[in-house]
């Protein structure tokens, strides 16, 4: 199954994992960028998303387990690809500077859009 990591500075704490074939809408999982970074070096996460280093055919990988009530899926991503992706996100928004990139007015307007 094709999968792609995505990152946007406007949502600086989250990464998106888009799953799906090119001809169908993707199923998107959002989780903390720090979870992906921590899970690259040691087991991390509780609940719906677990991330841990692994080996697949003797190659270093990162195992991402996605769980729902209906079941679970396990993805193996080459560790070098995860590291490269995290370096790109760090260049866009260095860790620790996330609050500087939040548009709180936009967040509040989205949260209150349906309440009025």
């Amino acid at each position: 199954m094709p999968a792609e990591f995505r990152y946007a500075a406007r949502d600086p704490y989250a990464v998106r994992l888009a799953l799906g074939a090119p001809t169908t809408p993707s199923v998107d999982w959002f989780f903390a960028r720090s979870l992906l970074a921590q899970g690259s070096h040691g087991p991390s996460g509780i609940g719906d998303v677990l991330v841990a280093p692994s080996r697949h055919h003797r190659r270093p990988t990162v195992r991402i387990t996605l769980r729902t009530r209906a079941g679970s899926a396990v993805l193996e991503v080459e560790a070098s690809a995860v590291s490269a992706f995290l370096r790109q996100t760090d260049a866009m928004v260095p860790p620790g500077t996330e609050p500087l990139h939040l548009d709180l007015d936009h967040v509040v307007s989205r949260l209150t859009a349906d309440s009025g």
Side-chain angles (χ1 to χ4, degrees):
M1 169 182 301
E4 179 181 35
F5 284 116
R6 298 178 185 161
Y7 183 76
R10 69 181 173 278
D11 191 2
Y13 291 103
V15 295
R16 177 170 53 163
L17 177 58
L19 304 170
T23 59
T24 62
S26 65
V27 174
D28 295 338
W29 284 76
F30 292 85
F31 52 93
R33 173 172 68 157
S34 60
L35 173 64
L36 184 60
Q38 292 168 0
S40 297
H41 302 288
S44 190
I46 57 173
D48 296 341
V49 181
L50 307 172
V51 182
S54 185
R55 287 204 165 292
H56 186 74
H57 299 291
R58 297 184 181 207
R59 296 185 71 141
T61 61
V62 176
R63 176 175 289 172
I64 301 171
T65 304
L66 307 171
R67 301 188 300 195
T68 69
R69 291 180 189 211
S72 63
V74 177
L75 293 90
E76 294 275 346
V77 182
E78 287 192 26
S80 60
V82 172
S83 295
F85 172 75
L86 288 170
R87 280 193 303 275
Q88 290 173 346
T89 70
D90 291 352
M92 292 172 66
V93 177
T97 68
E98 293 90 350
L100 302 174
H101 297 270
L102 284 175
D103 181 354
L104 291 180
D105 291 333
H106 177 70
V107 172
V108 169
S109 68
R110 287 185 61 203
L111 291 172
T112 59
D114 294 330
S115 66

